[in-house]
Amino acid sequence: MIARYTRPELGRLWTDEARMDAWREVEVAACEELAGLLGGDGPDAQELDAIRAASFTVDAVAERERVTDHDVAAFVDVLGASAGAAGRWIHFGLTSSDVLDTGLALQLRAAGEPIVAGARELTGTLAARAREHLRTLCAGRTHGVHAEPTSFGLKLAGFAFEADRNAGRLERAFAQVAVGALSGAVGTYAATSPEFEARVLARLGLDREDVSTQVIPRDRHAELLGAIALAGAGLERLATEVRHLQRTEVREVQEAFRAGQKGSSAMPHKRNPIKSEQIAGLARVLRGNAQAALENVALWHERDISHSSVERVILPDSTILIDYLQHRAIALVRDMTVDEARMRANLELTHGALFSQRVLLALVERGSSRDEAYRVVQELAQRAWDEGTPLRELLASDERSRDLDLDAIFSTTRTTCVTSRRSSRGSTGSPERDRPRRPRRLLASRQVTALADLPLIASGKVREMYDLGTAPERAEAALLMVASDRISTYDAVHPTPIPDKGRVLTGLSVFWFERTAAILANHMLSATDGVPTEARGRALVVRRLSMLPVECVVRGHITGSGWKDYQATGAVSGIALPAGLRESERLPEPIFTPSTKADEGHDEAIDFERAVELVGDRALMERVRTGSIELYSFAAAHARERGVILADTKFEFGLDDAGELVLGDEVLTPDSSRYWPADGFQVGRSQPSFDKQYVRDWAAASGWDKLPPAPPIPDDVVAGTRARYIEAYERITGEPFERWLARTGTE
Ligand code: PZK
């Protein structure tokens, strides 16, 4: 790559010196494992010291290559000579390709680090500017033609999430190319052995190719260049947006312009989008290189050398270029100026025609047929556009539309609220509070501390909460929520655990957190990263929130305390219900029935007004109610398809540092909900369930007076209870419970 587009860090990784350094690393690691290969023979300790100290210069290798006409052979000669007599062991049993391809894997792995870091930085920069402009209205355009108002922040949020996907792709693509082989001339280990290969690669920290020929198969390199080209295409989409928005007729965004910079040698007024044009241009080179990488896959038999010349160009060029382009894009996004006034002015270009759909819907809501409403709106919007009379005025003076609530129709509050919600992935926070959800990958990797060394900050009957503090870089304060296998019935904890109960509950919570993230942001960060080994599978790393002081219960069926209240008063939580409901019956619509959080004893049911008082923010409490009902409805519909009736459930919410509403706690588990098997469901009685019912039934028959202390649970009841929890997991997720254990690395 030409120097102009090469950042020094990446440039250094692809010099002749760096390439041979990688070969040297492979040769030395191979010598260190020779004794194992040769059954005790091989270099002795003194010889190994000499080999480790062996050196080369690029010039010396080049000179030797004029004799050998073979680069690796020349390199081995020079390196071997510098080690004296011990030099005879260097390259023992190896084929050139063993060194070339394994060395290449080391170079690619080194290139991956700054590139993935740059991809993350771009995501963060886009997310920050998206937050800044969540409420900056601008025209949304399809086909280049104004469509409806949107917000500039929503546009940027789309780019931020794309950048996050590309960061993930790059990380995976670099990981799968960090693979070496020392398998000889045709992959049969003629002079080495698979064990030798495994030990050398372990020293180098590389994975092993399952079946290599003379070379590492080139589909791996093609995958990497595909991921790089796709990341480049994302940068080009971003650059193209900026180029469009900087056109004279649009002029909503400008690239930063340095003092002293000249836009044109001949036209002093020019400020051109040169950075984004450069990004758009060079992204094309990346796509060309990806094509060449695909051509490299089909080598002849155990190898030919057609790929080698291509790779000398495309691997340095594509890695250097994507690194350069990412940093250009970071500067572009960070420094661009956004002309909000111009965005507003452009929104007025169509004199309100952008609101046509909302007028159409208002007319239909009021009783017009869709066809008739469409004709009216099309006619008036066209006149607004053509004559320049605001659509709103035309509507006010037209008898067919005079009575509409025009304030509501032409309000943009809804647009900014909704765009804010979308860019925070559906959070129901207020516009001021809303932030785009921080892409998960931006979170720094967490250190793992033993459970016993973590400060315990809260402890419940069946679970514990530990403080993980604040991880470095961008990550926020986090907690570790650990579910135990303890079980409580009638408010007392039994001395007998139910094996795997904590894991089932955690697995279910994770399933639901993942499935409902688009409805409402939640506190889950990871079920693996930062989880101590001894808590695998039953612990979650979560964001630290400031918890709201109410429990948020949603009921779809009338049961438990709700059934008692209904029998006594005909209402639950101040909500009057139809007369004549029978126990366990499904309600016409789910109801929101908050309660207090009691440290000791029972939570107390409260009505919505009391919840507003406790929380101190009516709008927030409304969002809590709407969000709770949305979450429950989604989950109940899903559960019903899997043979589970989700009778009711309890959520807990908190606010994050930015004041955004976030779902906390464990969610939609048999401990926080009632799970009834759909087969066997019958109204007019209490239901069997997938949770502690087994233990309760046994307790009822055993003569226990339900006062603490709770008695030990016999083995058969433990087994029956465990089986029901696991069945709940498998019904809901549709996956074997072992899958959860495997996913979390649980023994
Ligand atoms: C939090 N609890 C209840 C008590 C438990 C859980 N994301 C959060 N941020 C701050 N605090 C909490 C949460 C959550 N969830 C929840 N107490 C604090 C609780 C005992 C054990 F596992």
Side-chain angles (χ1 to χ4, degrees):
M1 180 46 58
I2 61 174
R4 187 181 182 91
Y5 303 137
T6 305
R7 284 164 27 93
E9 183 178 4
L10 256 286
R12 275 194 294 275
L13 296 175
W14 292 112
T15 57
D16 285 342
E17 172 103 23
R19 191 161 112 98
M20 291 179 199
D21 252 341
W23 296 352
R24 206 191 85 90
E25 235 189 292
V26 177
E27 295 283 9
V28 172
C31 286
E32 285 170 325
E33 294 297 341
L34 265 187
L37 178 69
L38 301 174
D41 272 358
D44 60 26
Q46 230 174 347
E47 287 177 311
L48 266 183
D49 283 343
I51 289 165
R52 291 191 190 108
S55 63
F56 65 91
T57 67
V58 172
D59 286 345
V61 175
E63 195 176 321
R64 180 72 189 151
E65 194 178 340
R66 280 194 280 278
V67 179
T68 60
D69 221 348
H70 189 293
D71 54 358
V72 176
F75 169 79
V76 170
D77 288 350
V78 170
L79 195 71
S82 86
R88 72 191 162 108
W89 294 114
I90 291 178
H91 206 64
F92 186 95
L94 301 186
T95 300
S96 293
S97 287
D98 293 341
V99 179
L100 285 169
D101 276 6
T102 306
L104 180 60
L106 291 173
Q107 282 182 285
L108 287 170
R109 183 180 63 191
E113 282 174 21
I115 291 172
V116 172
R120 296 260 158 74
E121 188 180 340
L122 175 63
T123 308
T125 307
L126 281 163
R129 297 233 60 186
R131 282 195 286 275
E132 184 189 330
H133 286 291
L134 276 183
R135 289 159 67 73
T136 304
L137 279 178
C138 65
R141 300 172 174 92
T142 56
H143 314 276
V145 175
H146 284 204
E148 290 196 354
T150 181
S151 93
F152 189 59
L154 184 65
K155 271 181 191 264
L156 289 181
F159 287 107
F161 282 101
E162 181 181 16
D164 186 48
R165 289 191 296 279
N166 280 315
R169 273 184 206 115
L170 287 168
E171 187 174 37
R172 293 191 295 276
F174 275 106
Q176 60 84 44
V177 89
V179 166
L182 293 102
S183 59
V186 293
T188 57
Y189 303 94
T192 59
S193 71
E195 295 71 30
F196 169 74
E197 175 187 66
R199 282 197 298 270
V200 175
L201 293 178
R203 277 184 181 274
L204 298 170
L206 294 173
D207 280 339
R208 170 179 73 72
E209 186 59 61
D210 286 325
V211 176
S212 42
T213 56
Q214 187 177 102
V215 292
I216 296 287
R218 260 42 200 177
D219 58 291
R220 294 185 182 274
H221 307 78
E223 182 170 345
L224 175 62
L225 265 64
I228 290 175
L230 192 45
L235 298 180
E236 187 175 3
R237 184 174 86 90
L238 171 66
T240 303
E241 183 77 24
V242 173
R243 290 169 67 191
H244 173 78
L245 295 177
Q246 189 160 345
R247 288 168 55 233
T248 309
E249 290 82 356
V250 181
R251 224 193 311 146
E252 294 177 8
V253 171
Q254 305 252 11
E255 287 184 3
F257 200 71
R258 270 186 304 106
Q261 186 176 339
K262 289 183 177 168
S264 153
S265 58
M267 296 171 286
H269 72 279
K270 292 277 275 178
R271 282 181 65 164
N272 302 328
I274 51 168
K275 296 183 185 73
S276 32
E277 288 180 331
Q278 186 201 47
I279 292 171
L282 291 175
R284 298 165 195 170
V285 176
L286 296 178
R287 290 199 284 279
N289 287 351
Q291 176 66 29
L294 289 172
E295 309 291 332
N296 266 357
V297 173
L299 299 181
W300 283 13
H301 305 301
E302 277 61 44
R303 92 144 213 205
D304 61 72
I305 199 156
S306 60
H307 64 294
S308 167
S309 51
V310 183
E311 281 173 4
R312 284 177 200 265
V313 176
I314 65 175
L315 293 178
D317 279 11
S318 278
T319 51
I320 287 171
L321 258 188
I322 190 67
D323 171 67
Y324 175 78
L325 292 178
Q326 283 180 164
H327 282 86
R328 295 291 280 184
I330 290 165
L332 170 72
V333 172
R334 188 190 56 215
D335 301 334
M336 69 189 175
T337 55
V338 178
D339 189 338
E340 300 183 19
R342 183 74 191 174
M343 287 178 174
R344 277 222 158 259
N346 282 346
L347 268 174
E348 299 300 325
L349 284 177
T350 56
H351 308 287
L354 258 58
F355 292 87
S356 66
Q357 182 183 28
R358 293 177 51 177
V359 180
L360 171 75
L361 295 180
L363 286 169
V364 170
E365 249 181 81
R366 199 204 48 189
S368 296
S369 77
R370 193 175 168 92
D371 199 44
E372 180 183 289
Y374 196 99
R375 256 184 288 114
V376 172
V377 182
Q378 190 174 38
E379 174 197 319
L380 296 180
Q382 197 65 52
R383 270 180 55 199
W385 196 319
D386 292 343
E387 299 166 13
T389 318
L391 176 61
R392 187 174 174 153
E393 269 175 39
L394 295 175
L395 289 164
S397 58
D398 194 305
E399 61 192 16
R400 295 168 298 180
S401 53
R402 188 171 301 154
D403 57 320
L404 293 177
D405 180 354
L406 297 176
D407 284 338
I409 291 172
F410 286 86
S411 156
T412 53
T413 315
R414 196 177 159 281
T415 305
T416 47
C417 289
V418 172
T419 57
S420 296
R421 282 185 49 176
R422 280 212 40 206
S423 38
S424 58
R425 281 261 185 96
S427 148
T428 48
S430 72
E432 306 79 55
R433 283 206 172 94
D434 265 345
R435 299 288 181 277
R437 198 187 63 157
R438 170 181 290 145
R440 289 224 175 99
R441 297 204 165 267
L442 282 181
L443 294 161
S445 184
R446 286 182 184 278
Q447 282 217 294
V448 177
T449 313
L451 207 51
D453 295 335
L454 290 170
L456 180 68
I457 58 166
S459 136
K461 284 197 204 72
V462 299
R463 59 209 181 111
E464 275 83 38
M465 188 74 93
Y466 297 87
D467 195 358
L468 290 175
T470 304
E473 294 171 51
R474 294 165 226 253
E476 58 211 313
L479 305 175
L480 187 76
M481 186 164 73
V482 184
S484 75
D485 290 339
R486 298 192 295 274
I487 187 164
S488 78
T489 61
Y490 305 110
D491 279 326
V493 181
H494 293 268
T496 326
I498 307 297
D500 288 325
K501 170 176 179 271
R503 296 190 178 116
V504 165
L505 262 57
T506 303
L508 277 166
S509 279
V510 168
F511 175 82
W512 291 117
F513 277 138
E514 287 173 352
R515 293 304 175 98
T516 61
I519 300 175
L520 211 143
N522 62 61
H523 70 162
M524 179 173 72
L525 290 171
S526 176
T528 50
D529 191 3
V531 174
T533 322
E534 65 273 35
R536 291 260 171 83
R538 58 193 179 90
L540 271 189
V541 178
V542 302
R543 301 166 66 188
R544 186 195 265 279
L545 305 173
S546 154
M547 302 305 287
L548 301 183
V550 287
E551 310 247 35
C552 301
V553 179
V554 183
R555 299 166 192 273
H557 288 251
I558 188 76
T559 183
S561 63
W563 169 241
K564 289 204 183 105
D565 293 354
Y566 170 76
Q567 280 179 303
T569 67
V572 185
S573 191
I575 302 164
L577 295 177
L581 290 176
R582 290 186 295 159
E583 185 178 7
S584 302
E585 195 167 337
R586 181 169 174 179
L587 295 168
E589 281 184 50
I591 55 172
F592 179 68
T593 60
S595 61
T596 57
K597 277 188 188 173
D599 280 340
E600 301 286 322
H602 285 275
D603 299 334
E604 186 193 340
I606 52 177
D607 64 16
F608 186 74
E609 287 308 317
R610 177 71 189 130
V612 170
E613 275 182 276
L614 287 172
V615 168
D617 181 339
R618 176 174 300 273
L620 176 63
M621 202 54 219
E622 304 268 22
R623 291 200 300 281
V624 167
R625 171 168 60 187
T626 312
S628 298
I629 291 176
E630 246 184 288
L631 289 166
Y632 168 83
S633 302
F634 168 83
H638 173 95
R640 189 63 196 78
E641 281 174 24
R642 309 285 178 105
V644 175
I645 292 171
L646 187 63
D648 52 23
T649 194
K650 182 204 81 181
F651 298 111
E652 289 195 33
F653 296 90
L655 300 177
D656 69 6
D657 289 347
E660 185 187 357
L661 181 66
V662 178
L663 176 62
D665 208 28
E666 59 168 305
V667 286
L668 297 155
T669 63
D671 271 16
S672 66
S673 324
R674 283 188 178 81
Y675 274 34
W676 296 337
D679 38 303
F681 172 68
Q682 220 183 321
V683 294
R685 61 161 170 79
S686 64
Q687 307 298 315
S689 75
F690 276 116
D691 49 44
K692 26 191 112 160
Q693 199 57 40
Y694 232 85
V695 182
R696 286 207 199 94
D697 290 347
W698 161 78
S702 71
W704 173 40
D705 58 10
K706 300 176 188 170
L707 297 171
I713 308 168
D715 288 352
D716 58 330
V717 180
V718 168
T721 310
R722 175 171 182 273
R724 305 229 93 200
Y725 273 106
I726 288 176
E727 190 178 350
Y729 178 93
E730 301 194 333
R731 281 205 194 191
I732 293 290
T733 66
E735 295 208 306
F737 180 58
E738 276 75 49
R739 195 75 51 85
W740 171 248
L741 301 181
R743 192 178 144 185
T744 51
T746 311
E747 299 296 288

mmCIF file of all heavy atoms in Angstrom, residues 457-461 463-465 479-482 523 542-547 597 652 663-666, ligand 1:
data_model
loop_
_atom_site.group_PDB
_atom_site.id
_atom_site.type_symbol
_atom_site.label_atom_id
_atom_site.label_comp_id
_atom_site.label_asym_id
_atom_site.label_seq_id
_atom_site.Cartn_x
_atom_site.Cartn_y
_atom_site.Cartn_z
ATOM 1 N N ILE A 457 -23.447 -7.531 48.119
ATOM 2 C CA ILE A 457 -24.181 -6.303 48.446
ATOM 3 C C ILE A 457 -25.649 -6.539 48.763
ATOM 4 O O ILE A 457 -26.294 -5.685 49.356
ATOM 5 C CB ILE A 457 -24.051 -5.219 47.357
ATOM 6 C CG1 ILE A 457 -24.548 -5.746 46.019
ATOM 7 C CG2 ILE A 457 -22.624 -4.701 47.252
ATOM 8 C CD1 ILE A 457 -24.758 -4.624 45.033
ATOM 9 N N ALA A 458 -26.187 -7.671 48.359
ATOM 10 C CA ALA A 458 -27.570 -7.971 48.731
ATOM 11 C C ALA A 458 -27.721 -9.472 48.724
ATOM 12 O O ALA A 458 -27.078 -10.166 47.941
ATOM 13 C CB ALA A 458 -28.555 -7.337 47.758
ATOM 14 N N SER A 459 -28.562 -9.939 49.610
ATOM 15 C CA SER A 459 -28.743 -11.375 49.644
ATOM 16 C C SER A 459 -30.215 -11.655 49.901
ATOM 17 O O SER A 459 -30.809 -11.116 50.831
ATOM 18 C CB SER A 459 -27.779 -11.910 50.699
ATOM 19 O OG SER A 459 -28.400 -12.847 51.479
ATOM 20 N N GLY A 460 -30.786 -12.432 49.015
ATOM 21 C CA GLY A 460 -32.199 -12.776 49.136
ATOM 22 C C GLY A 460 -32.334 -14.195 49.650
ATOM 23 O O GLY A 460 -31.344 -14.825 50.003
ATOM 24 N N LYS A 461 -33.575 -14.692 49.658
ATOM 25 C CA LYS A 461 -33.784 -16.052 50.160
ATOM 26 C C LYS A 461 -33.058 -17.059 49.293
ATOM 27 O O LYS A 461 -32.486 -18.012 49.799
ATOM 28 C CB LYS A 461 -35.280 -16.388 50.154
ATOM 29 C CG LYS A 461 -36.051 -15.736 51.280
ATOM 30 C CD LYS A 461 -37.388 -16.454 51.449
ATOM 31 C CE LYS A 461 -38.419 -15.562 52.092
ATOM 32 N NZ LYS A 461 -38.907 -14.498 51.191
ATOM 33 N N ARG A 463 -31.057 -16.130 46.309
ATOM 34 C CA ARG A 463 -29.998 -15.631 45.420
ATOM 35 C C ARG A 463 -29.203 -14.511 46.072
ATOM 36 O O ARG A 463 -29.621 -13.957 47.087
ATOM 37 C CB ARG A 463 -30.577 -15.174 44.080
ATOM 38 C CG ARG A 463 -31.597 -14.089 44.238
ATOM 39 C CD ARG A 463 -32.611 -14.134 43.117
ATOM 40 N NE ARG A 463 -33.533 -13.046 43.318
ATOM 41 C CZ ARG A 463 -33.603 -11.974 42.533
ATOM 42 N NH1 ARG A 463 -32.848 -11.890 41.471
ATOM 43 N NH2 ARG A 463 -34.450 -11.013 42.812
ATOM 44 N N GLU A 464 -28.062 -14.214 45.460
ATOM 45 C CA GLU A 464 -27.155 -13.208 45.987
ATOM 46 C C GLU A 464 -26.767 -12.221 44.897
ATOM 47 O O GLU A 464 -26.762 -12.555 43.727
ATOM 48 C CB GLU A 464 -25.862 -13.867 46.506
ATOM 49 C CG GLU A 464 -25.957 -14.366 47.921
ATOM 50 C CD GLU A 464 -26.587 -15.744 48.000
ATOM 51 O OE1 GLU A 464 -26.297 -16.571 47.106
ATOM 52 O OE2 GLU A 464 -27.392 -16.000 48.925
ATOM 53 N N MET A 465 -26.422 -11.024 45.363
ATOM 54 C CA MET A 465 -25.957 -10.001 44.438
ATOM 55 C C MET A 465 -24.594 -9.511 44.910
ATOM 56 O O MET A 465 -24.432 -9.150 46.075
ATOM 57 C CB MET A 465 -26.969 -8.851 44.450
ATOM 58 C CG MET A 465 -26.737 -7.799 43.429
ATOM 59 S SD MET A 465 -27.193 -8.369 41.797
ATOM 60 C CE MET A 465 -28.876 -7.805 41.726
ATOM 61 N N LEU A 479 -22.875 -5.520 38.391
ATOM 62 C CA LEU A 479 -23.131 -6.408 39.522
ATOM 63 C C LEU A 479 -23.151 -7.835 39.004
ATOM 64 O O LEU A 479 -23.318 -8.069 37.808
ATOM 65 C CB LEU A 479 -24.498 -6.089 40.136
ATOM 66 C CG LEU A 479 -24.752 -4.641 40.568
ATOM 67 C CD1 LEU A 479 -26.202 -4.500 41.034
ATOM 68 C CD2 LEU A 479 -23.792 -4.242 41.670
ATOM 69 N N LEU A 480 -22.980 -8.771 39.917
ATOM 70 C CA LEU A 480 -23.112 -10.182 39.562
ATOM 71 C C LEU A 480 -24.309 -10.740 40.322
ATOM 72 O O LEU A 480 -24.320 -10.745 41.549
ATOM 73 C CB LEU A 480 -21.839 -10.955 39.932
ATOM 74 C CG LEU A 480 -21.816 -12.400 39.439
ATOM 75 C CD1 LEU A 480 -21.530 -12.442 37.939
ATOM 76 C CD2 LEU A 480 -20.758 -13.208 40.184
ATOM 77 N N MET A 481 -25.303 -11.193 39.576
ATOM 78 C CA MET A 481 -26.513 -11.734 40.188
ATOM 79 C C MET A 481 -26.389 -13.251 40.129
ATOM 80 O O MET A 481 -26.296 -13.815 39.036
ATOM 81 C CB MET A 481 -27.719 -11.235 39.373
ATOM 82 C CG MET A 481 -29.048 -11.588 39.947
ATOM 83 S SD MET A 481 -30.364 -10.589 39.192
ATOM 84 C CE MET A 481 -30.457 -11.320 37.576
ATOM 85 N N VAL A 482 -26.365 -13.889 41.277
ATOM 86 C CA VAL A 482 -26.136 -15.335 41.319
ATOM 87 C C VAL A 482 -27.360 -16.052 41.880
ATOM 88 O O VAL A 482 -27.789 -15.785 43.003
ATOM 89 C CB VAL A 482 -24.901 -15.684 42.182
ATOM 90 C CG1 VAL A 482 -24.620 -17.173 42.135
ATOM 91 C CG2 VAL A 482 -23.688 -14.906 41.702
ATOM 92 N N HIS A 523 -30.968 -5.035 31.848
ATOM 93 C CA HIS A 523 -29.670 -4.842 32.526
ATOM 94 C C HIS A 523 -28.639 -5.919 32.230
ATOM 95 O O HIS A 523 -27.502 -5.827 32.678
ATOM 96 C CB HIS A 523 -29.871 -4.681 34.042
ATOM 97 C CG HIS A 523 -30.306 -5.939 34.751
ATOM 98 N ND1 HIS A 523 -30.188 -6.089 36.115
ATOM 99 C CD2 HIS A 523 -30.855 -7.079 34.302
ATOM 100 C CE1 HIS A 523 -30.654 -7.284 36.468
ATOM 101 N NE2 HIS A 523 -31.058 -7.891 35.387
ATOM 102 N N VAL A 542 -24.656 -7.908 35.308
ATOM 103 C CA VAL A 542 -25.710 -6.937 34.946
ATOM 104 C C VAL A 542 -25.247 -5.510 35.202
ATOM 105 O O VAL A 542 -24.311 -5.279 35.970
ATOM 106 C CB VAL A 542 -27.022 -7.200 35.734
ATOM 107 C CG1 VAL A 542 -27.534 -8.605 35.480
ATOM 108 C CG2 VAL A 542 -26.827 -6.960 37.225
ATOM 109 N N ARG A 543 -25.890 -4.577 34.530
ATOM 110 C CA ARG A 543 -25.575 -3.157 34.749
ATOM 111 C C ARG A 543 -26.137 -2.723 36.102
ATOM 112 O O ARG A 543 -27.249 -3.109 36.464
ATOM 113 C CB ARG A 543 -26.241 -2.301 33.667
ATOM 114 C CG ARG A 543 -25.814 -2.656 32.277
ATOM 115 C CD ARG A 543 -26.739 -2.027 31.253
ATOM 116 N NE ARG A 543 -26.636 -0.578 31.260
ATOM 117 C CZ ARG A 543 -27.444 0.230 30.580
ATOM 118 N NH1 ARG A 543 -28.412 -0.270 29.836
ATOM 119 N NH2 ARG A 543 -27.284 1.529 30.621
ATOM 120 N N ARG A 544 -25.380 -1.908 36.801
ATOM 121 C CA ARG A 544 -25.900 -1.389 38.066
ATOM 122 C C ARG A 544 -26.919 -0.295 37.759
ATOM 123 O O ARG A 544 -26.656 0.631 37.004
ATOM 124 C CB ARG A 544 -24.783 -0.815 38.918
ATOM 125 C CG ARG A 544 -25.285 -0.399 40.300
ATOM 126 C CD ARG A 544 -24.262 0.487 40.989
ATOM 127 N NE ARG A 544 -23.377 -0.257 41.873
ATOM 128 C CZ ARG A 544 -23.711 -0.615 43.113
ATOM 129 N NH1 ARG A 544 -24.907 -0.342 43.600
ATOM 130 N NH2 ARG A 544 -22.862 -1.269 43.851
ATOM 131 N N LEU A 545 -28.083 -0.435 38.346
ATOM 132 C CA LEU A 545 -29.161 0.526 38.120
ATOM 133 C C LEU A 545 -29.563 1.160 39.438
ATOM 134 O O LEU A 545 -29.195 0.678 40.503
ATOM 135 C CB LEU A 545 -30.404 -0.196 37.548
ATOM 136 C CG LEU A 545 -30.212 -1.025 36.286
ATOM 137 C CD1 LEU A 545 -31.498 -1.787 35.981
ATOM 138 C CD2 LEU A 545 -29.836 -0.131 35.114
ATOM 139 N N SER A 546 -30.346 2.207 39.317
ATOM 140 C CA SER A 546 -30.988 2.728 40.509
ATOM 141 C C SER A 546 -32.428 2.204 40.458
ATOM 142 O O SER A 546 -33.203 2.587 39.589
ATOM 143 C CB SER A 546 -30.876 4.242 40.444
ATOM 144 O OG SER A 546 -31.894 4.824 41.145
ATOM 145 N N MET A 547 -32.747 1.271 41.359
ATOM 146 C CA MET A 547 -33.998 0.512 41.233
ATOM 147 C C MET A 547 -35.212 1.359 41.662
ATOM 148 O O MET A 547 -35.144 2.125 42.623
ATOM 149 C CB MET A 547 -33.940 -0.774 42.068
ATOM 150 C CG MET A 547 -32.800 -1.707 41.697
ATOM 151 S SD MET A 547 -32.735 -2.201 39.964
ATOM 152 C CE MET A 547 -34.120 -3.337 39.871
ATOM 153 N N LYS A 597 -42.323 -2.983 47.679
ATOM 154 C CA LYS A 597 -41.230 -3.934 47.894
ATOM 155 C C LYS A 597 -41.024 -4.029 49.386
ATOM 156 O O LYS A 597 -40.597 -3.059 50.007
ATOM 157 C CB LYS A 597 -39.953 -3.389 47.275
ATOM 158 C CG LYS A 597 -39.829 -3.648 45.815
ATOM 159 C CD LYS A 597 -38.449 -3.238 45.357
ATOM 160 C CE LYS A 597 -38.377 -3.300 43.852
ATOM 161 N NZ LYS A 597 -37.116 -2.753 43.349
ATOM 162 N N GLU A 652 -39.045 -6.008 37.766
ATOM 163 C CA GLU A 652 -38.485 -4.880 38.506
ATOM 164 C C GLU A 652 -37.706 -4.023 37.522
ATOM 165 O O GLU A 652 -37.017 -4.556 36.655
ATOM 166 C CB GLU A 652 -37.555 -5.359 39.611
ATOM 167 C CG GLU A 652 -38.329 -6.019 40.727
ATOM 168 C CD GLU A 652 -37.490 -6.170 41.993
ATOM 169 O OE1 GLU A 652 -36.651 -5.296 42.240
ATOM 170 O OE2 GLU A 652 -37.687 -7.156 42.705
ATOM 171 N N LEU A 663 -35.045 -2.691 32.289
ATOM 172 C CA LEU A 663 -35.606 -3.849 32.977
ATOM 173 C C LEU A 663 -34.503 -4.555 33.759
ATOM 174 O O LEU A 663 -33.441 -4.828 33.210
ATOM 175 C CB LEU A 663 -36.211 -4.797 31.924
ATOM 176 C CG LEU A 663 -36.776 -6.128 32.408
ATOM 177 C CD1 LEU A 663 -37.931 -5.909 33.381
ATOM 178 C CD2 LEU A 663 -37.229 -6.972 31.218
ATOM 179 N N GLY A 664 -34.764 -4.852 35.045
ATOM 180 C CA GLY A 664 -33.748 -5.497 35.872
ATOM 181 C C GLY A 664 -34.193 -6.870 36.360
ATOM 182 O O GLY A 664 -35.080 -7.493 35.770
ATOM 183 N N ASP A 665 -33.519 -7.350 37.425
ATOM 184 C CA ASP A 665 -33.943 -8.571 38.125
ATOM 185 C C ASP A 665 -33.819 -9.819 37.252
ATOM 186 O O ASP A 665 -33.234 -9.793 36.187
ATOM 187 C CB ASP A 665 -35.393 -8.381 38.581
ATOM 188 C CG ASP A 665 -35.702 -9.196 39.816
ATOM 189 O OD1 ASP A 665 -34.775 -9.460 40.607
ATOM 190 O OD2 ASP A 665 -36.869 -9.576 39.993
ATOM 191 N N GLU A 666 -34.349 -10.931 37.715
ATOM 192 C CA GLU A 666 -34.536 -12.099 36.858
ATOM 193 C C GLU A 666 -35.880 -11.910 36.190
ATOM 194 O O GLU A 666 -36.745 -11.211 36.749
ATOM 195 C CB GLU A 666 -34.514 -13.390 37.684
ATOM 196 C CG GLU A 666 -35.593 -13.457 38.762
ATOM 197 C CD GLU A 666 -35.744 -14.845 39.376
ATOM 198 O OE1 GLU A 666 -35.963 -15.815 38.633
ATOM 199 O OE2 GLU A 666 -35.648 -14.945 40.612
HETATM 200 C C1 PZK B 1 -30.711 -4.930 42.842
HETATM 201 N N1 PZK B 1 -31.859 -6.340 44.071
HETATM 202 C C2 PZK B 1 -32.753 -7.403 44.509
HETATM 203 C C3 PZK B 1 -31.712 -8.829 46.281
HETATM 204 C C4 PZK B 1 -30.602 -10.488 44.434
HETATM 205 C C5 PZK B 1 -31.366 -9.399 44.025
HETATM 206 N N2 PZK B 1 -29.406 -4.041 38.117
HETATM 207 C C6 PZK B 1 -29.438 -3.741 39.465
HETATM 208 N N3 PZK B 1 -28.792 -2.650 39.894
HETATM 209 C C7 PZK B 1 -28.785 -2.340 41.200
HETATM 210 N N4 PZK B 1 -29.411 -3.072 42.100
HETATM 211 C C8 PZK B 1 -30.083 -4.171 41.762
HETATM 212 C C9 PZK B 1 -30.126 -4.544 40.402
HETATM 213 C C10 PZK B 1 -30.862 -5.691 39.927
HETATM 214 N N5 PZK B 1 -31.453 -6.599 39.550
HETATM 215 C C11 PZK B 1 -31.641 -5.910 42.813
HETATM 216 N N6 PZK B 1 -31.105 -5.689 44.895
HETATM 217 C C12 PZK B 1 -30.373 -4.801 44.158
HETATM 218 C C13 PZK B 1 -31.933 -8.565 44.947
HETATM 219 C C14 PZK B 1 -30.974 -9.927 46.674
HETATM 220 C C15 PZK B 1 -30.412 -10.754 45.770
HETATM 221 F F1 PZK B 1 -30.041 -11.284 43.535
#
